[in-house]
Amino acid sequence: MLKLQNISFVAPDGGKAAEIIRGIDLDIPSDKFVVITGPNGGGKSTLAKLIAGIEKPTGGRLFYEDEDITELSITERARKGIGFAFQQPVRFKGLTVLDLLRIAAGRKLSVSEACEYLSEVGLCAKDYIKREVNASLSGGELKRIEIATVLARDVKLAVFDEPEAGIDLWSFNNLIRIFEKMRVTEKKRTVIVISHQERILNIADEIIVLSDGQVIDQGSKERVLPEIMGAKFTADICPKME
Amino acid sequence: MAKLDAVQLRLLREVADLHEVPEGAYNIRANGEAAGRNSTANIEITSKTDVSGIDIRIKDGTKNESVHIPVVMSESGLKEMVYNDFYVGKDCDVVIVAGCGIDNCGSHDSEHDGIHRFFIGRNSRVKYVEKHYGSGNGTGKRILDPQTEVYMDEGSYMEMEMVQIKGVDSTRRTTIAALKDNAKLVVRERLMTHGEQTAESIYKVDLNGEGSSADVVSRSVARDSSFQKLDLCVNGNAACSGHTECDSIIMDNGRILAVPSLEANSVDAALVHEAAIGKIAGEQLIKLMTLGLTEAEAEEQIINGFLK
Ligand SMILES: Nc1ncnc2c1ncn2[C@@H]1O[C@H](COP(=O)(O)OP(=O)(O)O)[C@@H](O)[C@H]1O
Ligand SMILES: [Mg+2]
C-alpha cells in the first residue's frame, strides 16, 4: 500500500544541515494497523509529514498503491485518500467545528452526521458543533476534533501523530475503540499511528521503531513489544554525546 | 418598489437583504430620490426641510419593530450628502438596517456620504446593521464617506454591525459615540479591501458614565495593493470598561495601519486593546490542504470564516 524507498530528509538549519530522516526503507502492507514508536526527536513526525506531502524528501521515492507520489502535492495526496491528524492541531478563527468537518467530508454533512463523528471521539456533539476552532478550545478538545476530521474523510491510509497526547483517560478508551473499529470495519483501511502508549502498541499488527532518523526495528507486536519494554531499548535511546 | 430597476434591486438585496418591500417602517432612496417610504404607528419618518435627509422618530416603548433605510445608486457621477437623524425613545427594542450600494458603470465617480446621528433613549436597545457594497465595471470610483454619531442615554444598549466586503473604492468611515451611565456599545466591523482600494475606519468612543462599557472589534482583510487604516480610540472618563480589538489578515501587497489609542481619565477606567496583523498562517493552509482543498480554496475558506 505504502512504500518508502531510501527516503531521506535534510532540514536546512541555519547554515549547517540537519539530517533528520536517514535513508529509510519501509513497506507498509494494506489493511494493517501499524504503530510507529521511538524516542522524542527520532523523526516520527517528520516521517508522517513526508507521507502527507507536507515535507518533500531530499532523497528517495514514495509509492502509494504502486504509484510514485514523491512529487504530488498535499492536496493531490489527500484526494487520493491519505489522511493526516496533526500532533499539534491548528486553530482557526471564525471556522466552526461543523465548518471544519464539512470541509473534511468534502460535502455538506448534516448536523446529525457531523455529531456522529464528534461522539466517536467522545465530544458531546451539540455542545461543540457551533464552537469556533479557536483559542477557546482546550488542547484535548482540539486534539479530538482533529481526529474527527480524519474520521469524516473517506481515507484509505490514515496517519495519526500522537493522538493520545493531551487526552484524558475516558477519551483515551474511546480512542482505542476508534482504532479497533478502524481495524475491523469492512472498509479496507490502513492505519499508521505514531504513539508511545502501550495500549495502542498492544493493538498493532506491526510495530516500527524509529530512532535518530532510522528504522532500528520492525516486526510483529509479539516480537517487538517485549523488546521495547525491556531495558535494551531504553539504554539505546540515550544519544551518545561526542 | 415599482420605481426600482434591476440593478437597483440587486443592490438592495446586497445591502439590506431585501427581496421585497420590508415589513415595518422604511425609506428607500434611489439615485438621490425617494423611492418608497412607510411610517408605522410607532415609527415616523419625515423629510428634513433644510438639508436632504430624513428624521426617524421612534416612540417610547416601541418593541420588536424594524426600520430599513437603504440607499442605492446606479447612475454614474452622482454625488450626495444625506443627513439622517434617529430619535429613539425610552425603553425601545428595535432593529435599524441601513446600508448603501453603488453600481458605477460609467467614467464619473459616484459618492454617497451619509451622516447618521442616533439619540438613544434610556434603557433602549438598538441593533444597527450597515452594509456597504459596490459593483460595476466603469472607471468611475465608488466612494462612501459615512459619519455616524451615537449618543446613548443611561442604561441603553447599541450593537452595530458594520460590513464592507466588496467593491467600494474609497471609504472613510468615522464613528463617534458618547455613553452615559451603564450604557453599553458593541461594535463588530468586518472589512475586506481589494485592488487599489483604500479604507479608513475611525472610532472614537467616550465612556462618560459610571458603569458604561464599549467593546469594539474589527476584523479585516487587505488583499492585492489595498490599504486600510484602523483607528480605534476609547476614552475612559469614569468608572467604565472598554475593549478594542483589531485583527487583520494581509495578503499579496496589502497594507494595514492599526492605530489603537486608549485614554484613561479616571482611576476606575479599565481599558484594553488588542491588535494583530499578519498573513494567513501557513499551518492553517496546510491543514485544509490535507483535507483535500487546493491552496486557493483553503485561503477562501479561511477568509470567509474570518469575516463571517
Ligand atoms: N524543519 C525543521 N528544521 C530543523 N529541524 C527540524 C525540523 N523539523 C524537525 N526538526 C528536528 O528533527 C528532529 C526530529 O523531529 P520530529 O520528527 O518532530 O521527531 P519526533 O516526532 O520523533 O519527536 C528533531 O530534533 C527536530 O528538532
Ligand atoms: Mg512528533
Side-chain angles (χ1 to χ4, degrees), chain B residues 80-139:
Chain B
E80 62 180 5
M81 174 96 106
V82 173
Y83 296 81
N84 297 331
D85 289 330
F86 295 81
Y87 299 92
V88 181
K90 286 180 251 176
D91 302 309
C92 294
D93 190 347
V94 292
V95 174
I96 298 170
V97 180
C100 180
I102 302 181
D103 184 88
N104 192 349
C105 288
S107 56
H108 300 286
D109 293 354
S110 297
E111 177 168 348
H112 174 86
D113 300 335
I115 296 168
H116 288 183
R117 289 193 298 170
F118 293 86
F119 302 91
I120 302 182
R122 234 170 234 260
N123 298 326
S124 279
R125 292 177 69 86
V126 174
K127 166 142 185 159
Y128 176 65
V129 181
E130 183 183 288
K131 282 188 189 158
H132 287 167
Y133 171 83
S135 62
N137 47 17
T139 51

Side-chain angles (χ1 to χ4, degrees), chain B residues 266-281:
Chain B
S266 158
V267 72
D268 291 318
L271 308 176
V272 179
H273 177 80
E274 301 171 74
I277 305 175
K279 61 175 189 241
I280 295 176

Side-chain angles (χ1 to χ4, degrees), chain B residues 3-307:
Chain B
K3 286 190 194 169
L4 299 183
D5 60 30
V7 173
Q8 292 171 337
L9 286 172
R10 177 170 56 77
L11 292 172
L12 210 53
R13 281 197 299 277
E14 290 287 347
V15 298
D17 265 332
L18 288 180
H19 297 267
E20 50 194 87
V21 173
E23 300 223 341
Y26 65 85
N27 186 82
I28 299 167
R29 184 181 174 91
N31 287 342
E33 286 168 29
R37 175 178 300 174
N38 184 48
S39 294
T40 64
N42 294 324
I43 303 176
E44 185 196 35
I45 303 178
T46 52
S47 296
K48 281 190 185 296
T49 48
D50 48 345
V51 285
S52 74
I54 50 177
D55 287 327
I56 298 103
R57 290 173 199 279
I58 303 178
K59 281 191 189 154
D60 291 351
T62 302
K63 303 234 167 172
N64 303 318
E65 290 199 38
S66 63
V67 191
H68 286 77
I69 55 151
V71 171
V72 293
M73 289 166 81
S74 54
E75 194 183 305
S76 185
L78 215 58
K79 182 173 183 342
E80 62 180 5
M81 174 96 106
V82 173
Y83 296 81
N84 297 331
D85 289 330
F86 295 81
Y87 299 92
V88 181
K90 286 180 251 176
D91 302 309
C92 294
D93 190 347
V94 292
V95 174
I96 298 170
V97 180
C100 180
I102 302 181
D103 184 88
N104 192 349
C105 288
S107 56
H108 300 286
D109 293 354
S110 297
E111 177 168 348
H112 174 86
D113 300 335
I115 296 168
H116 288 183
R117 289 193 298 170
F118 293 86
F119 302 91
I120 302 182
R122 234 170 234 260
N123 298 326
S124 279
R125 292 177 69 86
V126 174
K127 166 142 185 159
Y128 176 65
V129 181
E130 183 183 288
K131 282 188 189 158
H132 287 167
Y133 171 83
S135 62
N137 47 17
T139 51
K141 289 203 163 82
R142 300 167 294 254
I143 303 167
L144 287 165
D145 286 348
Q147 265 184 57
T148 308
E149 295 173 23
V150 183
Y151 301 97
M152 300 180 68
D153 268 351
E154 287 84 357
S156 61
Y157 173 89
M158 169 102 158
E159 188 181 328
M160 307 176 82
E161 191 184 328
M162 316 286 248
V163 184
Q164 179 181 312
I165 302 294
K166 234 182 138 183
V168 178
D169 293 301
S170 161
T171 187
R172 186 184 158 91
R173 184 202 288 272
T174 311
T175 305
I176 65 169
L179 282 72
K180 292 192 179 163
D181 290 359
N182 298 314
K184 180 174 173 137
L185 175 70
V186 173
V187 177
R188 295 289 175 264
E189 177 179 67
R190 286 173 287 149
L191 176 63
M192 179 150 77
T193 50
H194 296 259
E196 303 287 324
Q197 295 170 358
T198 60
E200 266 186 66
S201 191
I202 299 146
Y203 288 88
K204 189 172 164 295
V205 179
D206 284 313
L207 297 172
N208 298 327
E210 301 281 308
S212 60
S213 67
D215 183 25
V216 182
V217 177
S218 168
R219 278 192 178 180
S220 76
V221 176
R223 311 179 89 141
D224 306 321
S225 301
S226 63
F227 173 74
Q228 297 176 7
K229 182 176 172 192
L230 308 163
D231 193 340
L232 310 181
C233 164
V234 173
N235 297 322
N237 301 324
C240 59
S241 61
H243 170 245
T244 66
E245 182 180 330
C246 71
D247 202 344
S248 304
I249 293 178
I250 34 171
M251 299 171 76
D252 317 307
N253 297 309
R255 290 182 303 133
I256 291 179
L257 172 64
V259 194
S261 89
L262 301 176
E263 184 178 324
N265 297 314
S266 158
V267 72
D268 291 318
L271 308 176
V272 179
H273 177 80
E274 301 171 74
I277 305 175
K279 61 175 189 241
I280 295 176
E283 285 195 324
Q284 293 183 331
L285 292 171
I286 288 172
K287 170 63 193 173
L288 296 190
M289 286 158 76
T290 67
L291 298 179
L293 302 190
T294 62
E295 189 170 346
E297 289 166 347
E299 241 176 46
E300 272 325 296
Q301 288 281 354
I302 291 164
I303 286 177
N304 287 344
F306 183 72
L307 293 175

Side-chain angles (χ1 to χ4, degrees), chain A residues 9 11-13 18 20 39-47 55 87 161-162:
Chain A
F9 179 71
D13 191 9
I20 294 164
N40 288 332
K44 302 180 296 298
S45 291
T46 307
L47 186 66
E55 298 284 7
Q87 180 171 4
D161 194 353
E162 299 200 24

